[in-house]
Amino acid sequence: MTEGVLLAIFAGLMLGLYALPEKFTKGFKYENTWSLFFLLTMFVVPIIASVSLIDGFVSIFANMPTDIWIKMGLTSFLWGVGVMMWSKAINHIGLSLGFSLFIGTIILVGSVLPFIEDGLPPTNKLTTILLGLFVVLIGIFANGKAGFIREKVEKANHENKEQKGSMATGILIAVIGGLLATGFSYANAAGRPYLHEASQAAGNAEWITAVAVMFPIFISGGLVMTAYFLWQLTTKKAWGDFKTPAFGKNFVLILVMAFFHYAASALFAFAAYKLGASGNTVGYAIFNTSCVVTAIISGIITKEWVKASPKARKFLYVGLSCMVIGIVIVAYSNSLA
């Protein structure tokens, strides 16, 4: 259990920090950076990793039942739509609050979805999991309150220059995006049993199953992201911005982002396996909460909340504390018989 919890936490840290290299790119518009990122992380990195690491790659996926392909494909596509909505939400409400609400929604809903495939755990474990998720929910509401207070103060001081939309709109987009993005959790739960058995039969190590699970998820989710950014590059007339002397440096930085994003997701899948019967639920909650806590702390360090009122920061810290306490409760549930 301890190994699974630590792996899930580390995966969350990786996901919470994967976008950091983006701050050092030069000459790229938002559309250039993220279109190249999604191309690399959703197609290039997963394809190379899967083909090179999975023994029997062709046989495993050629023999995967059609119903599993459909389940994983559709829900992963919805995950892609959700991620796109999150990228819009942060334009309204900032990175730390956007992460909080988006991933908070994912935690609450996505942690329950695996029960559809895995079945309900024993009553004492289920009760503890739901209690932990409820505490996380309190944290989400506290973060939302912090955002509303910050918006009110900033508008009053005429300092709301960076915010491009209303707080209410941003929160709505983040929550709906989070609901759709829970498709990742369901796809992982639906595909893992077959892919683990097939991977083991082909003589692969246990951790290779995580790579196999990520392949259909990333390819399917990448379709909507690719279509969206092709449209954005054309609409914003950003194709020409790829021609910059800094392209080589930018490419390396974005490749690092892509690797960390993919590796974090694959590591979560392995952590879920290590956590046992309720691993898809417990691991997903730990993974995403670690990610949002990392993002909030990053937002504080980068002074995103420096002009917020003491009351807003108080709610932010309360929300952060609740999310940490909630995830400790969820982690504890996995030790119950």
PDB file of all heavy atoms in Angstrom, residues 243-261:
ATOM      1  N   LYS A 243       8.309  29.846 -36.999  1.00  0.00           N
ATOM      2  CA  LYS A 243       9.589  30.237 -37.591  1.00  0.00           C
ATOM      3  C   LYS A 243      10.270  31.266 -36.690  1.00  0.00           C
ATOM      4  O   LYS A 243      10.135  32.477 -36.880  1.00  0.00           O
ATOM      5  CB  LYS A 243       9.366  30.821 -38.981  1.00  0.00           C
ATOM      6  CG  LYS A 243       8.764  29.838 -39.977  1.00  0.00           C
ATOM      7  CD  LYS A 243       8.540  30.490 -41.338  1.00  0.00           C
ATOM      8  CE  LYS A 243       7.934  29.495 -42.331  1.00  0.00           C
ATOM      9  NZ  LYS A 243       7.686  30.141 -43.658  1.00  0.00           N
ATOM     10  N   THR A 244      10.942  30.789 -35.703  1.00  0.00           N
ATOM     11  CA  THR A 244      11.645  31.658 -34.759  1.00  0.00           C
ATOM     12  C   THR A 244      13.006  31.055 -34.461  1.00  0.00           C
ATOM     13  O   THR A 244      13.159  29.822 -34.443  1.00  0.00           O
ATOM     14  CB  THR A 244      10.844  31.802 -33.442  1.00  0.00           C
ATOM     15  OG1 THR A 244      11.654  32.459 -32.475  1.00  0.00           O
ATOM     16  CG2 THR A 244      10.430  30.453 -32.906  1.00  0.00           C
ATOM     17  N   PRO A 245      14.023  31.891 -34.241  1.00  0.00           N
ATOM     18  CA  PRO A 245      15.355  31.381 -33.907  1.00  0.00           C
ATOM     19  C   PRO A 245      15.357  30.512 -32.648  1.00  0.00           C
ATOM     20  O   PRO A 245      16.261  29.698 -32.451  1.00  0.00           O
ATOM     21  CB  PRO A 245      16.173  32.665 -33.692  1.00  0.00           C
ATOM     22  CG  PRO A 245      15.466  33.698 -34.505  1.00  0.00           C
ATOM     23  CD  PRO A 245      14.018  33.360 -34.386  1.00  0.00           C
ATOM     24  N   ALA A 246      14.332  30.693 -31.814  1.00  0.00           N
ATOM     25  CA  ALA A 246      14.268  29.954 -30.560  1.00  0.00           C
ATOM     26  C   ALA A 246      13.524  28.625 -30.703  1.00  0.00           C
ATOM     27  O   ALA A 246      13.257  27.961 -29.709  1.00  0.00           O
ATOM     28  CB  ALA A 246      13.586  30.803 -29.491  1.00  0.00           C
ATOM     29  N   PHE A 247      13.212  28.213 -31.945  1.00  0.00           N
ATOM     30  CA  PHE A 247      12.413  27.007 -32.132  1.00  0.00           C
ATOM     31  C   PHE A 247      13.072  25.781 -31.505  1.00  0.00           C
ATOM     32  O   PHE A 247      12.412  24.979 -30.847  1.00  0.00           O
ATOM     33  CB  PHE A 247      12.153  26.736 -33.612  1.00  0.00           C
ATOM     34  CG  PHE A 247      11.345  25.486 -33.852  1.00  0.00           C
ATOM     35  CD1 PHE A 247       9.965  25.511 -33.773  1.00  0.00           C
ATOM     36  CD2 PHE A 247      11.976  24.265 -34.126  1.00  0.00           C
ATOM     37  CE1 PHE A 247       9.216  24.354 -33.958  1.00  0.00           C
ATOM     38  CE2 PHE A 247      11.241  23.109 -34.318  1.00  0.00           C
ATOM     39  CZ  PHE A 247       9.860  23.153 -34.238  1.00  0.00           C
ATOM     40  N   GLY A 248      14.370  25.616 -31.715  1.00  0.00           N
ATOM     41  CA  GLY A 248      15.068  24.450 -31.171  1.00  0.00           C
ATOM     42  C   GLY A 248      14.965  24.372 -29.658  1.00  0.00           C
ATOM     43  O   GLY A 248      14.647  23.318 -29.093  1.00  0.00           O
ATOM     44  N   LYS A 249      15.227  25.501 -28.999  1.00  0.00           N
ATOM     45  CA  LYS A 249      15.132  25.553 -27.541  1.00  0.00           C
ATOM     46  C   LYS A 249      13.701  25.305 -27.097  1.00  0.00           C
ATOM     47  O   LYS A 249      13.455  24.546 -26.144  1.00  0.00           O
ATOM     48  CB  LYS A 249      15.608  26.915 -27.041  1.00  0.00           C
ATOM     49  CG  LYS A 249      15.454  27.105 -25.531  1.00  0.00           C
ATOM     50  CD  LYS A 249      15.820  28.516 -25.098  1.00  0.00           C
ATOM     51  CE  LYS A 249      15.565  28.704 -23.612  1.00  0.00           C
ATOM     52  NZ  LYS A 249      15.865  30.108 -23.187  1.00  0.00           N
ATOM     53  N   ASN A 250      12.753  25.938 -27.787  1.00  0.00           N
ATOM     54  CA  ASN A 250      11.348  25.751 -27.442  1.00  0.00           C
ATOM     55  C   ASN A 250      10.927  24.294 -27.588  1.00  0.00           C
ATOM     56  O   ASN A 250      10.196  23.752 -26.748  1.00  0.00           O
ATOM     57  CB  ASN A 250      10.463  26.617 -28.334  1.00  0.00           C
ATOM     58  CG  ASN A 250      10.618  28.099 -28.033  1.00  0.00           C
ATOM     59  OD1 ASN A 250      11.252  28.483 -27.047  1.00  0.00           O
ATOM     60  ND2 ASN A 250      10.059  28.934 -28.876  1.00  0.00           N
ATOM     61  N   PHE A 251      11.400  23.665 -28.649  1.00  0.00           N
ATOM     62  CA  PHE A 251      11.035  22.264 -28.894  1.00  0.00           C
ATOM     63  C   PHE A 251      11.508  21.370 -27.753  1.00  0.00           C
ATOM     64  O   PHE A 251      10.769  20.507 -27.275  1.00  0.00           O
ATOM     65  CB  PHE A 251      11.635  21.793 -30.216  1.00  0.00           C
ATOM     66  CG  PHE A 251      11.270  20.370 -30.564  1.00  0.00           C
ATOM     67  CD1 PHE A 251      10.096  20.097 -31.258  1.00  0.00           C
ATOM     68  CD2 PHE A 251      12.086  19.302 -30.193  1.00  0.00           C
ATOM     69  CE1 PHE A 251       9.744  18.782 -31.570  1.00  0.00           C
ATOM     70  CE2 PHE A 251      11.748  17.995 -30.499  1.00  0.00           C
ATOM     71  CZ  PHE A 251      10.567  17.734 -31.191  1.00  0.00           C
ATOM     72  N   VAL A 252      12.735  21.582 -27.309  1.00  0.00           N
ATOM     73  CA  VAL A 252      13.282  20.771 -26.213  1.00  0.00           C
ATOM     74  C   VAL A 252      12.481  20.991 -24.934  1.00  0.00           C
ATOM     75  O   VAL A 252      12.135  20.038 -24.218  1.00  0.00           O
ATOM     76  CB  VAL A 252      14.770  21.105 -25.977  1.00  0.00           C
ATOM     77  CG1 VAL A 252      15.276  20.399 -24.718  1.00  0.00           C
ATOM     78  CG2 VAL A 252      15.601  20.686 -27.176  1.00  0.00           C
ATOM     79  N   LEU A 253      12.169  22.250 -24.623  1.00  0.00           N
ATOM     80  CA  LEU A 253      11.401  22.548 -23.414  1.00  0.00           C
ATOM     81  C   LEU A 253      10.018  21.913 -23.460  1.00  0.00           C
ATOM     82  O   LEU A 253       9.540  21.343 -22.469  1.00  0.00           O
ATOM     83  CB  LEU A 253      11.267  24.069 -23.255  1.00  0.00           C
ATOM     84  CG  LEU A 253      12.540  24.832 -22.868  1.00  0.00           C
ATOM     85  CD1 LEU A 253      12.317  26.333 -22.998  1.00  0.00           C
ATOM     86  CD2 LEU A 253      12.977  24.483 -21.448  1.00  0.00           C
ATOM     87  N   ILE A 254       9.377  21.988 -24.628  1.00  0.00           N
ATOM     88  CA  ILE A 254       8.028  21.435 -24.770  1.00  0.00           C
ATOM     89  C   ILE A 254       8.071  19.912 -24.765  1.00  0.00           C
ATOM     90  O   ILE A 254       7.158  19.252 -24.258  1.00  0.00           O
ATOM     91  CB  ILE A 254       7.365  21.975 -26.053  1.00  0.00           C
ATOM     92  CG1 ILE A 254       7.159  23.498 -25.917  1.00  0.00           C
ATOM     93  CG2 ILE A 254       6.029  21.296 -26.311  1.00  0.00           C
ATOM     94  CD1 ILE A 254       6.742  24.182 -27.197  1.00  0.00           C
ATOM     95  N   LEU A 255       9.146  19.329 -25.292  1.00  0.00           N
ATOM     96  CA  LEU A 255       9.314  17.879 -25.246  1.00  0.00           C
ATOM     97  C   LEU A 255       9.442  17.399 -23.796  1.00  0.00           C
ATOM     98  O   LEU A 255       8.892  16.356 -23.426  1.00  0.00           O
ATOM     99  CB  LEU A 255      10.544  17.462 -26.041  1.00  0.00           C
ATOM    100  CG  LEU A 255      10.843  15.954 -26.094  1.00  0.00           C
ATOM    101  CD1 LEU A 255       9.671  15.194 -26.728  1.00  0.00           C
ATOM    102  CD2 LEU A 255      12.134  15.685 -26.865  1.00  0.00           C
ATOM    103  N   VAL A 256      10.131  18.176 -22.969  1.00  0.00           N
ATOM    104  CA  VAL A 256      10.243  17.851 -21.547  1.00  0.00           C
ATOM    105  C   VAL A 256       8.856  17.896 -20.900  1.00  0.00           C
ATOM    106  O   VAL A 256       8.488  17.015 -20.115  1.00  0.00           O
ATOM    107  CB  VAL A 256      11.205  18.832 -20.834  1.00  0.00           C
ATOM    108  CG1 VAL A 256      11.149  18.626 -19.315  1.00  0.00           C
ATOM    109  CG2 VAL A 256      12.626  18.638 -21.342  1.00  0.00           C
ATOM    110  N   MET A 257       8.067  18.922 -21.243  1.00  0.00           N
ATOM    111  CA  MET A 257       6.701  19.010 -20.739  1.00  0.00           C
ATOM    112  C   MET A 257       5.890  17.783 -21.139  1.00  0.00           C
ATOM    113  O   MET A 257       5.169  17.196 -20.326  1.00  0.00           O
ATOM    114  CB  MET A 257       6.027  20.272 -21.290  1.00  0.00           C
ATOM    115  CG  MET A 257       6.553  21.582 -20.761  1.00  0.00           C
ATOM    116  SD  MET A 257       5.928  23.007 -21.719  1.00  0.00           S
ATOM    117  CE  MET A 257       4.152  22.770 -21.582  1.00  0.00           C
ATOM    118  N   ALA A 258       6.012  17.402 -22.408  1.00  0.00           N
ATOM    119  CA  ALA A 258       5.251  16.268 -22.933  1.00  0.00           C
ATOM    120  C   ALA A 258       5.625  14.975 -22.222  1.00  0.00           C
ATOM    121  O   ALA A 258       4.755  14.170 -21.864  1.00  0.00           O
ATOM    122  CB  ALA A 258       5.499  16.134 -24.435  1.00  0.00           C
ATOM    123  N   PHE A 259       6.922  14.788 -21.986  1.00  0.00           N
ATOM    124  CA  PHE A 259       7.379  13.572 -21.320  1.00  0.00           C
ATOM    125  C   PHE A 259       6.853  13.503 -19.889  1.00  0.00           C
ATOM    126  O   PHE A 259       6.348  12.465 -19.441  1.00  0.00           O
ATOM    127  CB  PHE A 259       8.909  13.515 -21.315  1.00  0.00           C
ATOM    128  CG  PHE A 259       9.452  12.371 -20.498  1.00  0.00           C
ATOM    129  CD1 PHE A 259       9.452  11.078 -21.006  1.00  0.00           C
ATOM    130  CD2 PHE A 259       9.930  12.577 -19.207  1.00  0.00           C
ATOM    131  CE1 PHE A 259       9.924  10.014 -20.246  1.00  0.00           C
ATOM    132  CE2 PHE A 259      10.411  11.526 -18.442  1.00  0.00           C
ATOM    133  CZ  PHE A 259      10.407  10.235 -18.967  1.00  0.00           C
ATOM    134  N   PHE A 260       6.949  14.615 -19.162  1.00  0.00           N
ATOM    135  CA  PHE A 260       6.491  14.629 -17.769  1.00  0.00           C
ATOM    136  C   PHE A 260       4.983  14.403 -17.688  1.00  0.00           C
ATOM    137  O   PHE A 260       4.501  13.700 -16.801  1.00  0.00           O
ATOM    138  CB  PHE A 260       6.867  15.954 -17.100  1.00  0.00           C
ATOM    139  CG  PHE A 260       8.195  15.914 -16.396  1.00  0.00           C
ATOM    140  CD1 PHE A 260       9.378  15.946 -17.117  1.00  0.00           C
ATOM    141  CD2 PHE A 260       8.273  15.826 -15.021  1.00  0.00           C
ATOM    142  CE1 PHE A 260      10.607  15.889 -16.482  1.00  0.00           C
ATOM    143  CE2 PHE A 260       9.488  15.769 -14.365  1.00  0.00           C
ATOM    144  CZ  PHE A 260      10.663  15.799 -15.092  1.00  0.00           C
ATOM    145  N   HIS A 261       4.237  15.007 -18.608  1.00  0.00           N
ATOM    146  CA  HIS A 261       2.781  14.841 -18.618  1.00  0.00           C
ATOM    147  C   HIS A 261       2.407  13.385 -18.858  1.00  0.00           C
ATOM    148  O   HIS A 261       1.570  12.809 -18.149  1.00  0.00           O
ATOM    149  CB  HIS A 261       2.175  15.738 -19.699  1.00  0.00           C
ATOM    150  CG  HIS A 261       0.694  15.616 -19.830  1.00  0.00           C
ATOM    151  ND1 HIS A 261       0.098  14.805 -20.771  1.00  0.00           N
ATOM    152  CD2 HIS A 261      -0.322  16.198 -19.144  1.00  0.00           C
ATOM    153  CE1 HIS A 261      -1.214  14.884 -20.663  1.00  0.00           C
ATOM    154  NE2 HIS A 261      -1.498  15.716 -19.687  1.00  0.00           N
TER     155      HIS A 261
END
